[in-house]
Short mmCIF file of all heavy atoms in Angstrom, two decimals:
data_model
loop_
_atom_site.label_atom_id
_atom_site.label_comp_id
_atom_site.label_asym_id
_atom_site.label_seq_id
_atom_site.Cartn_x
_atom_site.Cartn_y
_atom_site.Cartn_z
N LEU A 634 -11.53 -3.08 14.33
CA LEU A 634 -11.19 -3.93 13.18
C LEU A 634 -9.68 -3.90 12.92
O LEU A 634 -9.05 -4.93 12.68
CB LEU A 634 -11.97 -3.44 11.95
CG LEU A 634 -11.78 -4.21 10.66
CD1 LEU A 634 -12.05 -5.70 10.84
CD2 LEU A 634 -12.70 -3.63 9.57
N ALA A 635 -9.11 -2.70 12.97
CA ALA A 635 -7.67 -2.56 12.71
C ALA A 635 -6.86 -3.35 13.75
O ALA A 635 -5.83 -3.95 13.42
CB ALA A 635 -7.28 -1.08 12.72
N ARG A 636 -7.33 -3.37 15.00
CA ARG A 636 -6.63 -4.15 16.03
C ARG A 636 -6.64 -5.63 15.71
O ARG A 636 -5.64 -6.32 15.87
CB ARG A 636 -7.29 -3.93 17.39
CG ARG A 636 -6.66 -2.80 18.15
CD ARG A 636 -7.00 -2.84 19.59
NE ARG A 636 -6.50 -4.06 20.24
CZ ARG A 636 -6.38 -4.19 21.54
NH1 ARG A 636 -6.73 -3.20 22.33
NH2 ARG A 636 -5.94 -5.30 22.05
N GLN A 637 -7.81 -6.09 15.25
CA GLN A 637 -7.88 -7.51 14.88
C GLN A 637 -6.91 -7.82 13.75
O GLN A 637 -6.21 -8.83 13.74
CB GLN A 637 -9.29 -7.86 14.40
CG GLN A 637 -10.33 -7.93 15.49
CD GLN A 637 -11.68 -8.27 14.88
OE1 GLN A 637 -11.87 -9.33 14.31
NE2 GLN A 637 -12.62 -7.35 14.97
N LEU A 638 -6.87 -6.92 12.76
CA LEU A 638 -5.98 -7.16 11.62
C LEU A 638 -4.52 -7.06 12.05
O LEU A 638 -3.66 -7.75 11.48
CB LEU A 638 -6.25 -6.19 10.48
CG LEU A 638 -7.65 -6.23 9.85
CD1 LEU A 638 -7.63 -5.56 8.49
CD2 LEU A 638 -8.21 -7.64 9.73
N ARG A 639 -4.23 -6.21 13.04
CA ARG A 639 -2.85 -6.13 13.54
C ARG A 639 -2.41 -7.47 14.12
O ARG A 639 -1.29 -7.92 13.92
CB ARG A 639 -2.74 -5.01 14.56
CG ARG A 639 -1.40 -4.87 15.26
CD ARG A 639 -0.25 -4.39 14.38
NE ARG A 639 0.14 -5.30 13.29
CZ ARG A 639 1.12 -5.06 12.43
NH1 ARG A 639 1.80 -3.92 12.49
NH2 ARG A 639 1.41 -5.92 11.48
N GLU A 640 -3.33 -8.12 14.84
CA GLU A 640 -2.99 -9.42 15.41
C GLU A 640 -2.74 -10.46 14.32
O GLU A 640 -1.77 -11.20 14.35
CB GLU A 640 -4.12 -9.92 16.32
CG GLU A 640 -3.94 -9.41 17.71
CD GLU A 640 -4.89 -10.06 18.69
OE1 GLU A 640 -5.28 -11.22 18.49
OE2 GLU A 640 -5.24 -9.36 19.65
N ILE A 641 -3.66 -10.48 13.36
CA ILE A 641 -3.56 -11.48 12.28
C ILE A 641 -2.30 -11.26 11.45
O ILE A 641 -1.54 -12.19 11.19
CB ILE A 641 -4.81 -11.40 11.36
CG1 ILE A 641 -6.06 -11.79 12.16
CG2 ILE A 641 -4.65 -12.26 10.12
CD1 ILE A 641 -7.37 -11.43 11.46
N THR A 642 -2.06 -10.02 11.06
CA THR A 642 -0.89 -9.74 10.21
C THR A 642 0.40 -9.91 11.00
O THR A 642 1.39 -10.41 10.47
CB THR A 642 -0.95 -8.31 9.62
OG1 THR A 642 -1.15 -7.38 10.69
CG2 THR A 642 -2.06 -8.16 8.60
N GLY A 643 0.37 -9.50 12.28
CA GLY A 643 1.57 -9.62 13.12
C GLY A 643 1.99 -11.08 13.26
O GLY A 643 3.17 -11.41 13.12
N GLU A 644 1.01 -11.95 13.51
CA GLU A 644 1.33 -13.38 13.65
C GLU A 644 1.91 -13.95 12.36
O GLU A 644 2.76 -14.83 12.37
CB GLU A 644 0.08 -14.17 14.02
CG GLU A 644 -0.20 -14.16 15.50
CD GLU A 644 -1.57 -14.73 15.83
OE1 GLU A 644 -2.14 -15.46 14.98
OE2 GLU A 644 -2.06 -14.44 16.93
N ALA A 645 1.42 -13.43 11.24
CA ALA A 645 1.84 -13.97 9.94
C ALA A 645 3.12 -13.28 9.42
O ALA A 645 3.64 -13.67 8.38
CB ALA A 645 0.71 -13.80 8.93
N GLY A 646 3.56 -12.23 10.10
CA GLY A 646 4.73 -11.50 9.62
C GLY A 646 4.44 -10.71 8.35
O GLY A 646 5.29 -10.54 7.48
N VAL A 647 3.19 -10.23 8.26
CA VAL A 647 2.75 -9.48 7.08
C VAL A 647 2.58 -8.02 7.48
O VAL A 647 2.17 -7.72 8.61
CB VAL A 647 1.41 -10.10 6.59
CG1 VAL A 647 0.64 -9.18 5.70
CG2 VAL A 647 1.69 -11.43 5.89
N ASP A 648 2.92 -7.10 6.58
CA ASP A 648 2.79 -5.67 6.91
C ASP A 648 1.33 -5.23 6.87
O ASP A 648 0.55 -5.70 6.03
CB ASP A 648 3.63 -4.84 5.94
CG ASP A 648 5.11 -4.97 6.24
OD1 ASP A 648 5.46 -5.17 7.42
OD2 ASP A 648 5.93 -4.89 5.30
N LEU A 649 0.98 -4.30 7.76
CA LEU A 649 -0.38 -3.74 7.80
C LEU A 649 -0.31 -2.23 7.58
O LEU A 649 0.42 -1.52 8.28
CB LEU A 649 -1.03 -4.01 9.16
CG LEU A 649 -2.42 -3.38 9.36
CD1 LEU A 649 -3.46 -4.01 8.43
CD2 LEU A 649 -2.87 -3.51 10.83
N ILE A 650 -1.07 -1.80 6.58
CA ILE A 650 -1.14 -0.36 6.25
C ILE A 650 -2.59 0.08 6.46
O ILE A 650 -3.52 -0.63 6.06
CB ILE A 650 -0.75 -0.14 4.76
CG1 ILE A 650 0.62 -0.75 4.43
CG2 ILE A 650 -0.82 1.33 4.38
CD1 ILE A 650 1.81 -0.05 5.01
N ILE A 651 -2.78 1.24 7.05
CA ILE A 651 -4.12 1.78 7.25
C ILE A 651 -4.35 2.92 6.27
O ILE A 651 -3.52 3.82 6.15
CB ILE A 651 -4.32 2.30 8.70
CG1 ILE A 651 -3.94 1.23 9.74
CG2 ILE A 651 -5.74 2.82 8.90
CD1 ILE A 651 -4.84 0.03 9.81
N ASN A 652 -5.48 2.86 5.56
CA ASN A 652 -5.80 3.91 4.60
C ASN A 652 -6.34 5.15 5.34
O ASN A 652 -7.18 5.02 6.23
CB ASN A 652 -6.86 3.38 3.62
CG ASN A 652 -7.10 4.33 2.47
OD1 ASN A 652 -7.88 5.24 2.57
ND2 ASN A 652 -6.40 4.11 1.39
N ASP A 653 -5.87 6.30 4.95
CA ASP A 653 -6.38 7.62 5.41
C ASP A 653 -6.06 8.00 6.85
O ASP A 653 -5.85 9.17 7.12
CB ASP A 653 -7.92 7.74 5.34
CG ASP A 653 -8.47 7.68 3.94
OD1 ASP A 653 -7.66 7.58 3.01
OD2 ASP A 653 -9.70 7.71 3.80
N ARG A 654 -6.13 7.03 7.78
CA ARG A 654 -6.22 7.40 9.20
C ARG A 654 -4.91 7.23 9.94
O ARG A 654 -4.60 6.17 10.48
CB ARG A 654 -7.33 6.58 9.86
CG ARG A 654 -8.72 6.88 9.30
CD ARG A 654 -9.19 8.26 9.72
NE ARG A 654 -9.29 8.37 11.15
CZ ARG A 654 -10.42 8.12 11.84
NH1 ARG A 654 -11.51 7.75 11.23
NH2 ARG A 654 -10.42 8.27 13.15
N VAL A 655 -4.18 8.33 9.99
CA VAL A 655 -2.91 8.37 10.71
C VAL A 655 -3.11 8.00 12.18
O VAL A 655 -2.32 7.25 12.76
CB VAL A 655 -2.32 9.79 10.57
CG1 VAL A 655 -1.15 10.00 11.52
CG2 VAL A 655 -1.92 10.07 9.12
N ASP A 656 -4.19 8.51 12.76
CA ASP A 656 -4.42 8.27 14.20
C ASP A 656 -4.64 6.78 14.48
O ASP A 656 -4.08 6.22 15.43
CB ASP A 656 -5.60 9.11 14.72
CG ASP A 656 -6.88 8.93 13.91
OD1 ASP A 656 -6.83 8.36 12.79
OD2 ASP A 656 -7.96 9.36 14.40
N VAL A 657 -5.42 6.14 13.63
CA VAL A 657 -5.72 4.71 13.83
C VAL A 657 -4.46 3.87 13.58
O VAL A 657 -4.19 2.91 14.31
CB VAL A 657 -6.90 4.27 12.94
CG1 VAL A 657 -7.16 2.78 13.07
CG2 VAL A 657 -8.16 5.07 13.30
N ALA A 658 -3.69 4.24 12.56
CA ALA A 658 -2.44 3.51 12.27
C ALA A 658 -1.54 3.55 13.50
O ALA A 658 -0.97 2.53 13.90
CB ALA A 658 -1.74 4.13 11.06
N LEU A 659 -1.41 4.71 14.12
CA LEU A 659 -0.57 4.84 15.31
C LEU A 659 -1.16 4.07 16.49
O LEU A 659 -0.46 3.39 17.22
CB LEU A 659 -0.42 6.31 15.70
CG LEU A 659 0.55 7.13 14.86
CD1 LEU A 659 0.41 8.61 15.19
CD2 LEU A 659 1.98 6.66 15.07
N ALA A 660 -2.48 4.19 16.64
CA ALA A 660 -3.14 3.59 17.81
C ALA A 660 -2.99 2.07 17.83
O ALA A 660 -2.86 1.48 18.90
CB ALA A 660 -4.62 3.98 17.84
N VAL A 661 -3.01 1.44 16.66
CA VAL A 661 -2.94 -0.04 16.65
C VAL A 661 -1.52 -0.55 16.36
O VAL A 661 -1.32 -1.75 16.30
CB VAL A 661 -3.94 -0.67 15.64
CG1 VAL A 661 -5.35 -0.24 15.95
CG2 VAL A 661 -3.56 -0.38 14.19
N GLY A 662 -0.58 0.36 16.17
CA GLY A 662 0.78 -0.08 15.87
C GLY A 662 0.90 -0.70 14.49
O GLY A 662 1.58 -1.71 14.29
N ALA A 663 0.21 -0.10 13.52
CA ALA A 663 0.33 -0.58 12.13
C ALA A 663 1.73 -0.29 11.60
O ALA A 663 2.48 0.48 12.21
CB ALA A 663 -0.72 0.10 11.25
N ASP A 664 2.07 -0.90 10.47
CA ASP A 664 3.39 -0.66 9.87
C ASP A 664 3.41 0.64 9.08
O ASP A 664 4.48 1.18 8.80
CB ASP A 664 3.76 -1.82 8.95
CG ASP A 664 3.87 -3.09 9.75
OD1 ASP A 664 4.86 -3.22 10.49
OD2 ASP A 664 2.95 -3.93 9.68
N GLY A 665 2.21 1.10 8.66
CA GLY A 665 2.22 2.32 7.88
C GLY A 665 0.83 2.85 7.62
O GLY A 665 -0.18 2.28 8.06
N VAL A 666 0.81 3.96 6.88
CA VAL A 666 -0.45 4.61 6.54
C VAL A 666 -0.38 5.00 5.07
O VAL A 666 0.70 5.33 4.56
CB VAL A 666 -0.67 5.84 7.48
CG1 VAL A 666 0.39 6.89 7.33
CG2 VAL A 666 -2.06 6.44 7.30
N HIS A 667 -1.52 4.90 4.40
CA HIS A 667 -1.56 5.28 2.98
C HIS A 667 -2.48 6.49 2.81
O HIS A 667 -3.62 6.46 3.25
CB HIS A 667 -2.05 4.12 2.11
CG HIS A 667 -1.94 4.44 0.66
ND1 HIS A 667 -0.86 4.08 -0.10
CD2 HIS A 667 -2.75 5.16 -0.16
CE1 HIS A 667 -1.01 4.55 -1.34
NE2 HIS A 667 -2.15 5.21 -1.39
N LEU A 668 -1.97 7.52 2.15
CA LEU A 668 -2.73 8.77 2.03
C LEU A 668 -2.96 9.16 0.58
O LEU A 668 -2.09 8.98 -0.28
CB LEU A 668 -1.98 9.89 2.74
CG LEU A 668 -1.69 9.65 4.23
CD1 LEU A 668 -0.88 10.80 4.81
CD2 LEU A 668 -2.98 9.46 5.03
N GLY A 669 -4.14 9.72 0.33
CA GLY A 669 -4.47 10.24 -0.99
C GLY A 669 -4.52 11.76 -0.94
O GLY A 669 -4.22 12.37 0.10
N SER A 670 -4.94 12.36 -2.04
CA SER A 670 -4.86 13.82 -2.15
C SER A 670 -5.87 14.55 -1.26
O SER A 670 -5.77 15.75 -1.06
CB SER A 670 -5.03 14.24 -3.60
OG SER A 670 -6.23 13.68 -4.08
N GLU A 671 -6.85 13.82 -0.71
CA GLU A 671 -7.83 14.48 0.16
C GLU A 671 -7.50 14.26 1.64
O GLU A 671 -8.25 14.72 2.50
CB GLU A 671 -9.23 13.95 -0.12
CG GLU A 671 -9.49 13.83 -1.61
CD GLU A 671 -10.83 14.33 -2.05
OE1 GLU A 671 -11.82 13.95 -1.42
OE2 GLU A 671 -10.86 15.13 -3.01
N ASP A 672 -6.41 13.55 1.91
CA ASP A 672 -6.05 13.25 3.29
C ASP A 672 -5.05 14.28 3.80
O ASP A 672 -4.77 15.27 3.13
CB ASP A 672 -5.49 11.83 3.37
CG ASP A 672 -6.47 10.80 2.82
OD1 ASP A 672 -7.67 10.97 3.07
OD2 ASP A 672 -6.04 9.87 2.12
N LEU A 673 -4.49 14.03 4.98
CA LEU A 673 -3.47 14.94 5.52
C LEU A 673 -2.34 15.10 4.50
O LEU A 673 -1.93 14.12 3.88
CB LEU A 673 -2.83 14.34 6.78
CG LEU A 673 -3.43 14.60 8.14
CD1 LEU A 673 -2.53 13.96 9.20
CD2 LEU A 673 -3.58 16.09 8.41
N PRO A 674 -1.79 16.30 4.37
CA PRO A 674 -0.61 16.46 3.50
C PRO A 674 0.55 15.60 4.03
O PRO A 674 0.68 15.40 5.24
CB PRO A 674 -0.27 17.95 3.62
CG PRO A 674 -1.52 18.60 4.12
CD PRO A 674 -2.23 17.58 4.95
N LEU A 675 1.38 15.11 3.11
CA LEU A 675 2.43 14.15 3.49
C LEU A 675 3.41 14.69 4.55
O LEU A 675 3.73 13.97 5.49
CB LEU A 675 3.19 13.67 2.26
CG LEU A 675 2.34 12.90 1.24
CD1 LEU A 675 3.16 12.63 -0.02
CD2 LEU A 675 1.84 11.58 1.83
N PRO A 676 3.88 15.94 4.42
CA PRO A 676 4.85 16.40 5.43
C PRO A 676 4.24 16.45 6.83
O PRO A 676 4.90 16.11 7.82
CB PRO A 676 5.23 17.81 4.96
CG PRO A 676 4.90 17.82 3.49
CD PRO A 676 3.70 16.92 3.34
N GLU A 677 2.96 16.84 6.93
CA GLU A 677 2.30 16.88 8.24
C GLU A 677 2.11 15.46 8.76
O GLU A 677 2.29 15.19 9.94
CB GLU A 677 0.94 17.59 8.15
CG GLU A 677 1.03 19.11 8.20
CD GLU A 677 1.69 19.73 6.98
OE1 GLU A 677 1.60 19.14 5.88
OE2 GLU A 677 2.31 20.79 7.13
N ALA A 678 1.72 14.56 7.86
CA ALA A 678 1.55 13.16 8.27
C ALA A 678 2.87 12.61 8.79
O ALA A 678 2.91 11.94 9.82
CB ALA A 678 1.04 12.32 7.11
N ARG A 679 3.95 12.91 8.11
CA ARG A 679 5.27 12.41 8.55
C ARG A 679 5.60 12.96 9.93
O ARG A 679 6.14 12.26 10.79
CB ARG A 679 6.35 12.79 7.53
CG ARG A 679 7.76 12.50 7.98
CD ARG A 679 8.01 11.01 8.27
NE ARG A 679 8.06 10.24 7.04
CZ ARG A 679 7.83 8.93 6.97
NH1 ARG A 679 7.53 8.24 8.06
NH2 ARG A 679 7.89 8.32 5.82
N ARG A 680 5.26 14.24 10.15
CA ARG A 680 5.53 14.84 11.45
C ARG A 680 4.77 14.08 12.55
O ARG A 680 5.27 13.87 13.64
CB ARG A 680 5.11 16.32 11.43
CG ARG A 680 6.04 17.19 12.15
CD ARG A 680 6.10 18.65 11.74
NE ARG A 680 5.02 19.23 11.00
CZ ARG A 680 3.96 19.82 11.53
NH1 ARG A 680 3.80 19.85 12.83
NH2 ARG A 680 3.04 20.36 10.75
N VAL A 681 3.54 13.69 12.24
CA VAL A 681 2.72 12.99 13.24
C VAL A 681 3.23 11.56 13.47
O VAL A 681 3.32 11.11 14.60
CB VAL A 681 1.23 12.97 12.80
CG1 VAL A 681 0.40 12.15 13.77
CG2 VAL A 681 0.69 14.39 12.69
N ILE A 682 3.56 10.84 12.39
CA ILE A 682 3.92 9.42 12.57
C ILE A 682 5.38 9.22 12.95
O ILE A 682 5.74 8.15 13.43
CB ILE A 682 3.59 8.56 11.32
CG1 ILE A 682 4.40 9.00 10.10
CG2 ILE A 682 2.10 8.55 11.04
CD1 ILE A 682 4.12 8.17 8.85
N GLY A 683 6.22 10.23 12.73
CA GLY A 683 7.64 10.05 13.04
C GLY A 683 8.31 9.17 12.00
O GLY A 683 7.80 8.99 10.90
N ASP A 684 9.46 8.61 12.40
CA ASP A 684 10.30 7.89 11.45
C ASP A 684 9.95 6.42 11.28
O ASP A 684 10.45 5.76 10.39
CB ASP A 684 11.76 7.95 11.92
CG ASP A 684 12.37 9.30 11.64
OD1 ASP A 684 11.88 9.97 10.71
OD2 ASP A 684 13.30 9.67 12.36
N LYS A 685 9.15 5.91 12.21
CA LYS A 685 9.01 4.46 12.25
C LYS A 685 8.00 3.90 11.25
O LYS A 685 8.08 2.75 10.85
CB LYS A 685 8.58 4.01 13.66
CG LYS A 685 9.56 4.42 14.73
CD LYS A 685 10.71 3.42 14.80
CE LYS A 685 11.71 3.78 15.88
NZ LYS A 685 12.95 4.32 15.32
N LEU A 686 6.99 4.71 10.90
CA LEU A 686 5.92 4.15 10.06
C LEU A 686 6.17 4.45 8.58
O LEU A 686 6.69 5.51 8.22
CB LEU A 686 4.55 4.73 10.46
CG LEU A 686 3.77 3.89 11.48
CD1 LEU A 686 4.47 3.87 12.81
CD2 LEU A 686 2.35 4.44 11.61
N ILE A 687 5.74 3.50 7.77
CA ILE A 687 5.80 3.66 6.31
C ILE A 687 4.72 4.64 5.90
O ILE A 687 3.58 4.57 6.37
CB ILE A 687 5.57 2.29 5.65
CG1 ILE A 687 6.74 1.36 5.95
CG2 ILE A 687 5.35 2.45 4.14
CD1 ILE A 687 6.46 -0.10 5.63
N LEU A 688 5.08 5.56 5.01
CA LEU A 688 4.12 6.54 4.50
C LEU A 688 3.94 6.29 3.00
O LEU A 688 4.88 6.45 2.22
CB LEU A 688 4.65 7.95 4.77
CG LEU A 688 3.80 9.14 4.35
CD1 LEU A 688 2.41 9.08 4.98
CD2 LEU A 688 4.49 10.45 4.74
N GLY A 689 2.73 5.87 2.63
CA GLY A 689 2.44 5.61 1.22
C GLY A 689 1.56 6.72 0.66
O GLY A 689 0.76 7.31 1.39
N ALA A 690 1.72 6.99 -0.63
CA ALA A 690 0.92 8.05 -1.25
C ALA A 690 0.41 7.57 -2.60
O ALA A 690 1.07 6.78 -3.27
CB ALA A 690 1.77 9.30 -1.44
N THR A 691 -0.75 8.09 -2.97
CA THR A 691 -1.32 7.77 -4.27
C THR A 691 -0.87 8.81 -5.28
O THR A 691 -0.86 10.01 -4.98
CB THR A 691 -2.86 7.81 -4.18
OG1 THR A 691 -3.27 6.79 -3.27
CG2 THR A 691 -3.50 7.56 -5.53
N ALA A 692 -0.51 8.36 -6.48
CA ALA A 692 -0.17 9.30 -7.56
C ALA A 692 -0.90 8.88 -8.83
O ALA A 692 -0.85 7.72 -9.23
CB ALA A 692 1.34 9.29 -7.80
N HIS A 693 -1.59 9.85 -9.42
CA HIS A 693 -2.32 9.58 -10.67
C HIS A 693 -1.59 10.15 -11.88
O HIS A 693 -2.10 10.06 -13.00
CB HIS A 693 -3.73 10.18 -10.59
CG HIS A 693 -4.57 9.55 -9.53
ND1 HIS A 693 -5.37 10.26 -8.67
CD2 HIS A 693 -4.71 8.25 -9.16
CE1 HIS A 693 -5.97 9.43 -7.84
NE2 HIS A 693 -5.58 8.21 -8.11
N SER A 694 -0.45 10.79 -11.64
CA SER A 694 0.32 11.36 -12.75
C SER A 694 1.78 11.40 -12.33
O SER A 694 2.10 11.26 -11.14
CB SER A 694 -0.16 12.78 -13.03
OG SER A 694 0.11 13.61 -11.90
N LEU A 695 2.65 11.63 -13.30
CA LEU A 695 4.07 11.75 -13.01
C LEU A 695 4.30 12.93 -12.06
O LEU A 695 5.09 12.84 -11.12
CB LEU A 695 4.86 11.94 -14.31
CG LEU A 695 6.35 12.18 -14.14
CD1 LEU A 695 7.02 11.01 -13.43
CD2 LEU A 695 7.01 12.41 -15.50
#
Side-chain angles (χ1 to χ4, degrees):
L634 181 54
R636 268 197 63 163
Q637 287 179 63
L638 299 198
R639 175 69 295 180
E640 272 190 30
I641 295 166
T642 53
E644 276 170 19
V647 161
D648 287 329
L649 176 67
I650 305 289
I651 307 292
N652 189 275
D653 296 358
R654 296 290 299 268
V655 169
D656 53 347
V657 176
L659 283 170
V661 303
D664 298 287
V666 62
H667 187 95
L668 302 177
S670 54
E671 317 224 311
D672 304 321
L673 271 184
L675 297 173
E677 278 68 29
R679 171 61 72 203
R680 219 155 19 90
V681 175
I682 63 179
D684 284 335
K685 301 277 181 254
L686 267 67
I687 293 166
L688 181 56
T691 297
H693 296 136
S694 65
L695 176 60

